[in-house]
Structures are given as structure tokens and as C-alpha cells.
């Protein structure tokens, strides 16, 4: 789906999400039009995806993450019905069928994985991967270095980006060796945790959770859905970076979009509008 | 509430071949206790108490309760197991979010109607299976580490548990209403008050008795008994609790200071509100009053920008955190956030949290008293609670502190702070004041009411002892609160809310009682209040402090819209009564009137207390005479509990959700550099924002409580000035907001129980005087505050009392957050200066505690071994220095700025090096003209910063600062910190060594 004008993004809020404000700001700054909608209104069909090019699942603790991160929200996608009886999953099928794109960050990624939206090999919406507890055993908030890979290279080029992670369950686990191999072969691992040299990091501290294949983000096979654990929406200006003071002094402080997490959102908007 | 075998249960375990991270964690923690568990598996168990066929459950559970890739699910079956087990479950009636979520999740795949009838029927439990068959005493030890008997049911044994139990709730008819006979002598009244945990004293009970005698005929005319009902006395006990009425802060105090006697009529009115009113009048006279609501609402409200007010509130949650550290801290964070939500008409959005935590030392070695948890257990639990509550609330925790002193081993201090943005305009008009009118409905939103948190307000108004009922402890539900606060924000924007307040201490009796003061009366019908389970007595419904509830005033015409919105947002909302102008608070259950009270007397009738206070200033003892190995001492200080890196705590708290955090707790190229103040943007459409900092230094209070409180104030001020805030100046449209939080031991004199009460109160008076003097001098007002007056732990004939402590939390508006300056050095070749003067003040300093105390002092031990002069705040000097720093910030000369506090100059320099990776070549010779070398290096004189300046700005910088800045040396590419005094080299340490010492594990 190529939008002639600014693409419209539906950003979910409520039910325990808590990153809707900065997510909406990210899309706006990137040139999209963000509409923040209560997730309950989407799940019951009061708000529909018609007229939107993008659906954004933000970070947070949906339903308190009581049964595991994103579990209950994923249940509602897999099993829930709108008030008119339409399956929620069918509305997503239709959305993707007309070229819609879906992004999930942190809790949003956890939901996408558990609902079978990524990697979705074969298109059957089966859960084929999982996000397990960080190997350190607890929540962690710190910045890590990431590098684009696979399908992301088309959108963003080969790019190294510092981003914050803020999660307790971010260890990407593939459901089987076959799934992992397919994800690698098809370029679905779109973001790696990397070390100082830009090489994939398989152990702490550069890999903050012990993710398999150093995977920080995962595409769906059809390339329309992407989820990632790091938070590009928390890096919308150079002063979000923990070392901005030194970088400022060294003249590296520009707010050029290529330097911050905004690059990520700009690339998505460019795709939607048919630009490169 | 009894237990019985659950009809069914679901067991979820990690799939074989996958990492059981929770099990690995239990195994490691057991290892720290010396327990060898072998391999550990942790299972999630859900007791599903729905008699009947398990077929539906068997079909639904794998679909909704577990991860298809990582976990396995079984119904009514546990894994074959021959080792040992520990099972933990919430005690009946204690909040069990996970169980409720599981019940809710099951509804998606199982159409059993009982799941949706509002009663909890699914209960979460944890089953820990240890490979080795541990002995009974080992299992008891492990169970004690995994749960807390005050809130958890613990079971253990070999093999697997024989049965999975579920609570049974039995409905009870309300007990017949009783009246209370207050016609007793004082001793009889006090005994009665103790028996019923009212915490009212004889004078207060006499006042109630006299009031009821006066209104006896009127009461009979209203169909009430002449004597107060038990429910009515409970309402007085809550409303007049120290927690709610601050009787000691409002007492008339006869104060003998150095032999001179003076009378203080209310510490609060004289020194706290008095200071703020003085400042307000000064700025109002030139049309620059930035204070919108001070001391009269749940949080202080000041001007921020064209569209927003800024709300600030800090509270403590000490007693609950001593008993149940996780739940106590959670309710602390959530409860304080509710204060922000309940300010003005309501619905403010959270901007940040702060957390200042005071614990006993992690290696506390004294025998534990009955009811006392080990400080390390308390510390870990509190941090866990803050993590859960703060992170799930979606609010960044941006600033805080962790302090250790063994006098916090009985009661920890858990200060929870909240900054929030309140939109100025709602659809129904301006937001800053509640606009409640007679006829408005009382609507409660949020969680249901249970027996948790009965008597919390009165309980926190007394000393903590070993006779505690579990019902005083609450477990918060961040998720339920998030739903409720999201709804409140939306409803307020839509103009559906006339005013609101939170349900905290005292429950409905306090929240409705407070809101009723506006319109002049209220009535409520308790049988309309939704309950978590059957069996609550009416007075329990009235008093329950069950969390996550807000009480709203809603125009009758808006009630349908509000209830409809709430239903759409999955929040329970109930109309339970109405406001009126009857002058009364009337409480009914069914046809029975439980209370019918004169609102005026309820709020104004509490008698003024008369108290005595004494303080004699103490001459400073000479400095300790210690020979000094600077390098060794610096490494010891960096590794000491009160100075070492807080990274292990900081990184558990989400400090950048919302994407607005610009100066985080830890910064720099490797994320190690500790910062003085946090800076957050207000929004994404401008660059203005807020800087927030905390000042707290109880260690100075033993020697000089005035200097201690002034020091806390100065620490907060200098931290804000360091990061780039400008002190209030007439003509610059300032916006500063301060919050004072006192935590002191019982300061009411009693010849037996508290023989030094007068001295303790004397310290408190001196602390208040200091805050007044500082606030008025700097034009920095306090807009809200709180006092916690009974921080003693009494057990087995021993009393552990906290040192008198004041936390001063300060927030200032910054016009452009991109001009903030962080602490770490930025470039080799920059010149390092100390700004502000050092005096021979080693009293109470960390260095003195290390040198003069026992080894225990390394971990923040007792202060009685302290010697030397306590640092004084010299206000005029401080202001002059700060104004120069403000000028340097404005000119952009400062590459870095770090305040000097714990550990003095040497530690500050080390932190600048650790945080940046650069070294420095430092000469302190010039500073020794005014103070001894130990004081120069390690003294903690106030109002000082260490700054770095790029070479091209040094001439201009030195011209402005003159003698107020001393050039110490230069930042070097070589990662070594070299400190000399003239030709004498005092130390030369690599940054790697400094860093290794500083990163000593906190616990």
C-alpha cells in the first residue's frame, strides 16, 4: 500500500501499554499522521483499521504481563472477536492483505511473536518463536548497540545505531532449528545486537538478554510486520543518548535524523509513501 | 477465610530443553543461603475453583495461560518429582493480580459463566521443585526466602504437594451496630484506644465525648444513639490520625534552645507554610506568583507552561515496607502517584518518579528481633516493589538515592516522589481547583474493596511492634491502577469530573470526608461498594485501604457518560452516594445509619497538642587525628556502601519510558557517570523541561540537626544549579517547587517509653527552622510535604529508632533542556576547578565514619564515634557562588559540573573520571590555605561543585569567579587520576582501579 500523502498510523494505548506518547511523537516527527486509539476500542471493532497504512503496538505491560509478556493481548488477537463477531485475527489478515504494515516494539514485539505475526513462516499465524526471560534474570534499562541486517538493509541500509533496551523478557528463542534456519535464510532477522566492532554479539553485556543469533528484531516472512526489543521511539533527539554531552562537545550532536531512532520511523514512512 | 482443595488446577512449567531462568535464579539465591538445591524448576500453578468437568479447562488452558514455544501445560497433574518442593500462594484476601488475570484470560477460550461473575475463582501460586530432597529446616529457610508469611501462604515438603488449595469466602451478616461508652477516666480511654487500635489519645477521646454530649439531643432526633457508634469512632480515628491530621506538626511546642524558651504555634504553619507564604507574597507583589496550589491539595501545583501545571508530591511508606518490603514499596509508589492523579480536578499525567531509600546495612550482623526482617531482605524487596510498580505505571524513575545506616534496620525509609503534568483546561473549565457542588454524585473507580489495609492510617501513626495483623498490609496492582488512571485522564479531559481524590489512608472515610468539605456534606451507601469477596463488615468497607481506587465527584448529568466510558475501558465504576450541603457526613449500609457526623467537628475538632522540646547546641569535637594514605582511603571510600555505584538498582528501574529523559541517573560513554539531578522534557513540541534533585544527609543530624536540614536543602539546590537551573530571580518568571519530607522517631516525651522525647522534638524544631531560613533566603518554596512521626521499631524490649531525617526534593523549570550540563568530563585539556570554599568540616563525613567508627561504619554504621565540625550552609556565600555558576551556564562555559557531597572532592573527581574514562592531573595545594588536607580531599563542606571548562573559556570564567573558583588542574587523555599537593604526590590511580572499587556490588 503506497500512500499519496502522509501515511496514517494507528498507535494503540491503554490496557497497560505505556509508550504511546513517544511512539506517536516519533511518527509525527517522521512525517506520518499518528492517531492514538484505546486498544479496547480496536479489539471490539469500534475503531477499525480502514484508512490506516500502519498499526503500531507500543511498549508497556499489556494486561500487566501477568501470564508472561504480551500473552493476554496475544490471546485476544488469536482468539478474540469484535462486537460484530468478526475474528480479530481476520481483521489483521485483511489489513495485511491490502498491504498494511505492523510494527511492534518491546511489549508490542512480545505480542507479535506470541500472536504468530512474526516470523509467520508459511503465513499460518502459528507461534514459531518466543521471547523468554533475560538470562540475567531481571529487568534491565540500558543502551545497546544494534546493526541492521536482512530485510532491514533494503529500508535502512547497513546502519549501526545505539538504542535503549528496557525489558525483563527479551531473549528471542526460535521454536526449532528449522525456524531459525529459515529466518536466517530469508533475512528475517532485521536487527542484531552488536559489539563495539559491529559484529553480532552473542553474550552479555553487548547482547542484553541472551537472544539466540543475537537477534534484536524479527520480520515476518512477507516483510510487512516487524518487531524489535530496543526502543527507537525513545531516541528522537540527540539529547536522549546517554553520551550526548561528550558527543555534543565533539561536534557529533546533530539532530540529523540519520543519527537517532527517528531514522527508523522515517524509513517506514518512506516505504509507505513509495520513497526510498 | 478457610482453605479447601481447589476443584481443578493448571500447572505451567518450562518445556524441557528450554532455560528455566526463574529456576536458575532460585537456585542461585538458595546458594547464597548455603542451600544446595540441585536443579530447580519453577512452575506457575493456577487453582481453578470451579467444580465440574475439567474438559473446558483442559481445552482452554494451553491456549491462553502459557507460551506455546517455551512452556508445557497440564490440568490436575503435577510433574513426577522426588526431590523437595516449596509452594507459595497469596493468603486469602490478599491482592492476587495474576490469578485474576488468568481468570479473565480463561474467559476467552472457556464459556463457563462463573468466570465472569465478578468473584475471584482462579488463584495464582508458585511451585518450586528442587532436585535434592532438602531437610525440613532447609526448606523452612528456603520458604522464608521465597515468601512472606504476612501476605503469603507457604507450604513445603518432599515429593510434590498433596493438594492445591483455594480460599473459601463465607458470607457473614453484618454484626449488630454497637455504641462506644467514652464515659471513662483517662486511663480507661487510653486502654480502650489501644485495644481498638485507634491511636487516639485521652484528650482527643475526651473531645469526642464532650462533642457527643453536646449534640446528644440532636442525634436522638436524627434517630441515632446518643453515644458514638463503633463506626463513628473509627471515622474519627482515621480522620484524626497523625497520618491525616499531622497533630504533632500542628502542636503548640514549648521549645528550650540553649536555655532560651520560645513557643512555636505549629511547626507547619510557622516554618513550612510560613516560608512559602513569605516567598509567594514577595513575587505576587511583582505579578510573578508561580504557585497555584500549595499545601491544600494532594500535591503542590505550580505554573509550567501555557498549557500545563506541574504537580509535585513525595510520600513515605515506611511501616508497610518494614513488614512486606515488596508490597509496601509497591503501594508507596502507586499511592503517591494517585496523589498526583487526585490533584485539582484530577487526571494529571505522570512525568517522573523519584525514589530515595534508607536501609540498614546489607551485612547487618546483629540478631534479628521478632518481626524484624534482615535489612538486605528489606532492601531487595523494596527495590523489587519499586521496579514492579514504577515500570508498570509507565513512568520513568529518574532520580533517587540509597542510604545505609543501621538505625534504619527496624524501619526502612521509602520515599516515593511523583512529578506530573496537569492540563490547565478541561472541557468543563479550568483544572486547578475542585469544583464540587451539592448534588454531585460520589463515584468510585478502580479496584474492589477487600479486607486489605484496614487501619493503615492509624497503624502508621504508631510505632511498629511485633504484634502486627496481616490485614494492615496491602499489595498494589499496577495494572488496575494504570487502567483507572488512564480512564481518569480521559474522563477529566472530557469534562466529566468535577473533582477527585485518591483512596489511601483511611479509605472512603477519608476520601469522601475530605471532598465533602467543599460542598459542605456528603452521604454514602456502603452496600453499593463492590467487594472483592463476601464477608466484609460495613465498617471494614468504610475503612479499607484496598488500593487502586479513586473517589470522583461527578455532576448527575455526567454520570451515565462516565459509567459508559469506564465500562469501555474495563474499569469498574460505581455510584455510591452524593455530596450535599447538610454539614454532615452520613454513612449507611442497607437501612442502617452507621455514622451521622458533624463535618465541621470531624475536620476542625481535633484538639491542639501541647508538647515540649529541648535542644542545646553541641560544641564540635576536634577532628580525628588519622594519618592519611590518600589513594588507599579513596579506594575504600569508593567501595563503601554509601558511595559505591547504584547501577545495580538504577538499571532495574525504567528511567526513560516516555522518551523525555535527557539527563538520566547514569550517563557518559560507558553509562557509568552518576548525575546530580535528572532532566526531563515536558513534551515533544518544545525544549523546555524540568530538573529534579534530592537532598538528604541524616548523618549530620546527630551533631547538628539545623546544619543537617540546611545541608539537605543546599544539596538539592546545588544539584539543580549544577545541572543548569537558575535560582528564582524577580523578573525571570521562575518556577521552582519543593517538597519536604520529615521522618523522625517518636518525639512525644514519655517518662518511661520515650525519656529523650523532648530532645528528639528539639531536633525536629531545629530542622524546621533551617528549612525556613534556607527557603526564604533562596526564594525556593515548599509546595507540598509530609511528615512521618513514629519511625521506631519495638520488639522484645528493644527499640530501633531512625535518625531524624529530612528529604528535600526540588524541581525547577529549565527553558531549554539541551543546555543542561552533565557531571562527567568531556575532553582532554579542559581545566578543572573547584567552585565554592572548603572549610575544616569533617564531622559526619563519610571519611570520618570510615576512620572513626568501627569497621561497621564502612557500611554506614553508628554516628556516635563522629568527631569534627559538621558542615554549615553559609547562605550568602552559597548564593554568590550559585549566581556565578548560573552566569557560567548562561555563557556556555561549563563542559561538566558535579556537586561535592558524600566523600568530598576526591570522590567527586574520581566519579568524573570513572564516568568519562578520562584522567586528570590535580593539585589541591591552594585549597589547603583554608582547610586541613583531609578536609580538602574528603570533607563535605556544602555549596561546592567541581567543574571543567574548555581552555578557550578559562580566562572569562576566572574573571567572573575570582576567588570563588580554584584551578585544580587539567583533564588528561591518559586514564589516570593524579592528585598532588604542590610537589607531594598524594595519589596516582588508574581509572580502571577507581572504577573497579566504585563498582563494588551494592549487596
Amino acid at each position: 500500500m503506497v500512500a499519496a500523502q502522509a501515511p496514517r498510523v494507528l498507535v494503540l494505548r491503554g490496557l497497560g501499554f505505556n509508550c504511546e506518547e513517544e511512539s506517536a511523537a516519533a511518527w509525527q516527527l517522521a512525517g506520518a499522521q499518528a492517531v492514538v486509539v484505546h486498544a479496547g476500542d480496536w479489539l471490539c471493532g469500534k475503531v477499525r483499521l480502514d484508512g490506516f497504512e500502519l498499526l503500531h503496538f507500543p511498549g508497556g505491560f499489556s494486561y500487566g504481563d501477568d501470564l508472561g509478556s504480551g500473552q493476554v493481548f496475544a490471546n485476544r488477537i488469536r482468539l478474540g472477536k469484535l462486537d460484530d463477531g468478526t475474528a480479530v485475527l481476520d481483521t489483521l489478515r485483511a489489513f495485511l492483505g491490502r498491504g498494511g504494515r505492523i510494527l511492534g516494539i518491546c511489549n508490542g514485539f512480545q505480542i507479535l511473536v506470541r500472536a504468530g505475526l512474526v516470523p509467520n513462516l508459511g503465513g499460518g499465524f502459528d507461534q514459531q518463536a518466543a521471547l523468554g526471560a533475560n538470562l540475567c534474570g531481571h529487568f534491565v534499562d540500558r543502551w545497546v548497540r544494534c546493526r541492521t541486517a536482512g530485510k532491514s538493509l533494503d529500508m535502512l541500509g547497513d546502519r549501526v545505531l545505539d538504542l535503549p533496551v528496557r525489558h525483563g523478557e527479551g531473549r528471542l528463542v526460535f521454536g526449532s532449528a528449522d525456524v531459525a534456519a529459515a529466518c536466517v535464510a530469508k533475512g528475517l532477522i532485521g536487527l542484531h545486537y552488536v559489539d563495539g566492532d559491529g559484529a553480532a554479539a552473542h553474550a552479555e553485556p553487548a547482547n542484553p538478554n541472551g537472544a539466540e543469533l543475537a537477534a534484536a528484531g524479527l520480520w515476518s516472512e512477507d516483510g510487512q510486520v516487524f518487531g524489535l526489543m530496543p526502543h527507537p521511539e525513545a531516541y528522537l533527539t540527540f539529547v536522549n543518548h546517554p553520551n550526548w554531552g561528550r558527543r555534543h562537545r565533539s561536534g557529533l550532536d546533530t539532530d540529523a535524523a540519520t543519527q537517532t531512532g527517528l531514522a527508523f520511523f522515517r524509513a517506514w514512512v518512506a516505504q509507505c509513501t513509495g520513497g526510498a | 477465610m478457610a482453605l479447601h482443595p481447589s476443584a481443578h488446577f493448571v500447572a505451567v512449567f518450562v518445556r524441557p530443553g528450554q532455560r528455566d531462568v526463574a529456576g536458575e535464579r532460585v537456585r542461585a539465591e538458595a546458594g547464597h543461603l548455603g542451600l544446595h538445591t540441585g536443579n530447580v524448576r519453577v512452575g506457575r500453578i493456577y487453582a481453578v475453583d470451579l467444580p465440574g468437568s475439567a474438559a473446558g479447562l483442559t481445552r482452554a488452558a494451553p491456549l491462553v495461560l502459557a507460551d506455546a514455544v517455551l512452556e508445557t501445560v497440564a490440568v490436575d497433574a503435577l510433574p513426577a518429582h522426588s526431590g523437595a518442593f516449596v509452594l507459595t500462594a497469596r493468603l486469602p484476601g490478599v491482592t492476587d493480580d495474576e490469578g485474576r488475570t488468568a481468570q479473565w484470560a480463561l474467559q476467552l477460550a472457556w464459556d463457563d459463566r462463573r468466570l465472569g461473575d465478578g468473584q475471584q475463582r482462579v488463584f495464582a501460586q508458585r511451585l518450586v521443585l528442587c532436585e535434592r530432597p532438602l531437610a525440613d529446616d532447609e526448606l523452612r529457610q528456603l520458604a522464608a526466602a521465597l515468601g512472606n508469611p504476612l501476605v503469603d501462604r507457604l507450604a513445603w515438603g518432599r515429593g510434590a504437594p498433596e493438594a492445591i488449595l483455594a480460599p473459601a469466602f463465607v458470607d457473614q451478616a453484618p454484626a449488630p451496630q454497637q455504641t462506644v461508652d467514652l464515659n471513662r477516666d483517662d486511663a480507661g480511654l487510653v486502654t480502650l484506644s489501644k485495644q481498638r487500635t485507634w491511636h487516639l489519645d485521652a484528650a482527643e477521646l475526651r473531645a469526642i465525648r464532650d462533642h457527643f454530649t453536646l449534640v446528644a439531643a440532636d442525634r436522638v432526633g436524627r434517630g441515632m444513639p446518643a453515644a458514638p457508634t463503633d463506626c463513628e469512632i473509627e471515622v474519627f480515628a482515621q480522620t484524626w490520625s497523625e497520618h491525616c491530621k499531622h497533630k504533632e506538626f500542628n502542636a503548640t511546642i514549648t521549645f528550650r534552645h540553649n536555655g532560651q524558651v520560645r513557643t512555636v504555634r505549629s511547626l507547619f504553619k510557622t516554618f513550612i507554610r510560613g516560608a512559602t507564604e513569605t516567598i509567594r507574597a514577595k513575587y505576587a507583589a511583582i505579578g510573578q506568583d508561580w504557585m497555584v496550589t500549595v499545601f491544600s491539595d494532594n500535591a503542590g501545583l505550580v505554573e509550567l507552561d501555557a498549557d500545563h501545571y506541574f504537580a509535585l508530591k513525595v510520600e513515605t511508606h515506611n511501616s508497610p515496607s518494614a513488614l512486606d518490603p515488596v508490597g509496601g514499596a509497591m503501594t508507596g509508589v502507586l499511592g503517591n502517584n494517585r496523589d498526583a492523579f487526585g490533584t485539582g480536578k484530577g487526571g494529571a499525567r505522570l512525568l517522573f518518579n523519584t525514589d530515595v531509600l534508607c536501609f540498614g546495612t546489607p551485612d547487618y550482623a546483629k540478631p534479628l528481633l521478632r518481626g524484624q526482617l534482615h535489612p538486605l531482605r528489606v532492601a531487595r524487596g523494596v527495590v523489587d516493589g519499586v521496579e514492579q510498580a514504577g515500570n508498570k505505571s509507565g513512568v520513568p524513575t529518574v532520580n533517587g538515592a540509597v542510604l545505609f545506616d543501621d538505625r534504619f534496620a527496624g524501619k526502612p525509609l521509602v520515599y516515593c516522589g511523583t512529578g506530573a503534568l496537569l492540563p490547565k483546561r478541561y472541557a468543563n473549565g479550568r483544572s486547578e481547583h475542585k469544583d464540587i457542588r451539592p448534588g454531585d454524585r460520589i463515584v468510585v473507580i478502580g479496584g474492589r474493596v477487600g479486607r486489605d489495609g484496614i487501619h493503615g492510617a492509624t497503624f502508621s501513626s504508631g510505632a511498629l511492634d511485633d504484634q502486627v495483623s496481616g490485614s494492615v498490609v496491602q499489595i498494589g496492582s499496577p495494572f488496575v491502577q494504570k487502567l483507572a488512571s488512564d480512564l481518569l485522564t480521559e474522563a477529566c479531559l472530557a469534562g466529566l469530573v468535577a473533582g477527585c481524590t485518591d483512596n489511601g489512608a483511611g479509605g472512603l472515610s477519608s476520601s469522601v470526608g475530605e471532598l465533602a468539605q467543599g460542598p459542605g456534606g456528603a452521604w454514602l451507601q456502603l452496600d453499593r461498594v463492590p467487594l472483592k469477596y463476601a464477608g466484609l463488615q460495613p465498617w471494614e468497607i468504610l475503612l479499607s485501604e484496598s488500593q487502586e481506587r479513586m473517589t470522583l465527584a461527578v455532576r448527575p448529568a455526567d454520570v451515565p457518560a462516565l459509567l459508559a466510558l469506564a465500562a469501555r475501558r474495563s474499569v469498574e465504576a460505581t455510584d455510591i452516594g452524593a455530596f450535599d450541603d447538610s454539614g454532615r457526613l452520613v454513612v449507611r449500609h442497607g437501612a442502617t445509619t452507621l455514622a451521622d457526623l458533624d463535618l465541621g467537628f470531624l475536620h476542625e475538632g481535633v484538639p491542639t497538642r501541647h508538647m515540649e522540646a529541648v535542644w542545646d547546641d553541641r560544641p564540635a569535637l576536634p577532628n580525628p587525628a588519622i594519618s592519611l594514605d590518600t589513594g588507599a582511603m579513596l579506594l575504600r571510600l569508593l567501595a563503601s556502601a554509601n558511595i559505591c555505584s547504584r547501577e545495580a538498582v538504577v538499571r532495574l528501574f525504567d528511567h526513560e519510558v516516555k522518551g523525555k529523559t535527557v539527563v538520566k541517573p547514569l550517563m557518559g560513554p560507558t553509562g557509568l557517570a552518576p548525575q546530580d539531578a535528572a532532566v526531563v522534557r515536558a513534551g515533544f513540541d518544545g525544549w523546555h523541561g524540568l530538573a529534579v534533585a534530592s537532598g538528604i544527609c541524616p548523618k549530620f543530624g546527630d551533631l547538628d540537626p539545623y546544619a543537617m536540614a540546611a545541608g539537605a536543602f543546599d544539596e538539592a539546590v546545588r544539584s539543580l544549579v549544577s545541572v543548569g537551573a537558575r535560582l528564582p530571580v524577580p523578573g525571570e518568571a521562575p518556577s521552582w517547587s519543593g517538597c519536604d519530607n520529615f521522618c523522625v522517631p517518636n518525639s512525644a516525651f514519655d517518662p518511661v517509653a520515650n525519656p529523650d522525647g523532648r530532645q528528639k522534638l528539639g531536633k525536629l524544631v531545629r530542622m524546621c527552622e533551617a528549612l525556613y531560613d534556607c527557603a526564604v533566603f533562596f526564594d525556593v518554596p515548599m509546595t507540598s510535604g509530609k511528615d512521618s512521626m513514629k519511625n521506631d521499631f519495638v520488639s522484645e524490649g528493644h527499640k530501633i529508632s531512625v535518625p531524624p531525617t529530612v528529604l528535600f526534593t526540588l524541581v525547577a523549570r529549565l527553558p531549554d533542556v539541551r543546555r543542561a550540563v552533565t557531571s562527567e568530563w568531556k575532553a582532554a585539556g579542559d581545566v578543572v576547578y573547584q567552585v565554592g570554599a572548603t572549610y575544616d568540616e569533617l564531622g559526619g563525613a563519610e571519611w570520618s565514619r570510615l576512620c572513626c567508627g568501627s569497621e561497621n561504619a564502612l557500611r554506614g554504621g553508628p554516628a556516635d564515634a563522629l568527631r569534627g565540625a559538621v558542615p554549615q550552609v553559609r547562605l550568602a556565600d552559597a548564593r554568590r557562588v550559585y549566581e556565578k555558576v548560573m552566569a557560567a551556564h548562561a555563557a556556555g562555559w561549563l563542559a561538566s559540573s558535579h556537586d561535592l557531597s558524600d566523600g568530598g572532592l576526591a570522590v567527586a573527581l574520581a566519579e568524573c573520571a570513572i564516568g568519562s574514562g578520562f584522567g586528570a592531573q590535580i593539585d589541591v595545594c591552594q585549597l589547603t590555605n583554608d582547610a586541613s588536607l583531609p578536609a580538602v580531599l574528603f570533607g563535605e563542606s556544602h555549596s561546592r561543585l567541581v567543574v571543567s571548562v574548555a581552555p578557550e573559556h578559562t580566562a572569562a570564567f576566572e574573571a567572573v569567579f575570582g576567588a570563588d573558583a580554584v584551578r585544580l588542574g587539567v583533564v588528561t587523555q591518559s586514564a589516570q587520576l593524579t592528585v598532588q599537593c604542590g610537589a607531594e604526590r598524594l595519589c596516582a590511580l588508574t581509572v580502571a582501579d577507581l572504577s573497579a572499587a566504585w563498582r563494588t556490588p551494592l549487596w
Side-chain angles (χ1 to χ4, degrees), chain B residues 666-750:
Chain B
L666 296 169
M667 301 282 286
T670 49
L672 290 175
Q675 303 299 315
D676 302 333
V679 174
V680 291
R681 296 171 76 177
F684 294 101
D685 49 358
W687 291 106
H688 66 291
L690 294 153
V692 54
S694 311
I696 182 169
C697 43
K699 59 189 180 181
F700 298 132
D702 299 289
L703 298 168
D704 186 344
Y706 181 96
M708 178 267 274
F713 199 105
D714 183 75
E715 185 182 8
V717 170
R718 71 180 181 254
S719 297
L720 289 188
V721 169
S722 175
V723 81
R726 293 181 66 76
L727 278 165
V729 177
E732 290 191 4
S735 186
W736 283 58
S737 188
C739 186
D740 58 289
N741 287 82
F742 291 86
C743 286
V744 297
N746 182 7
S747 304
F749 170 74
D750 181 282

Side-chain angles (χ1 to χ4, degrees), chain A residues 66 78 114 240 246 249, chain B residues 63 67 101 664 830 916:
Chain A
D66 284 326
R78 289 187 295 115
R114 283 192 142 139
N240 287 130
R246 167 97 60 99
R249 177 65 185 281
Chain B
L63 288 173
D67 185 284
T101 305
K664 313 173 212 289
D830 282 1
S916 66

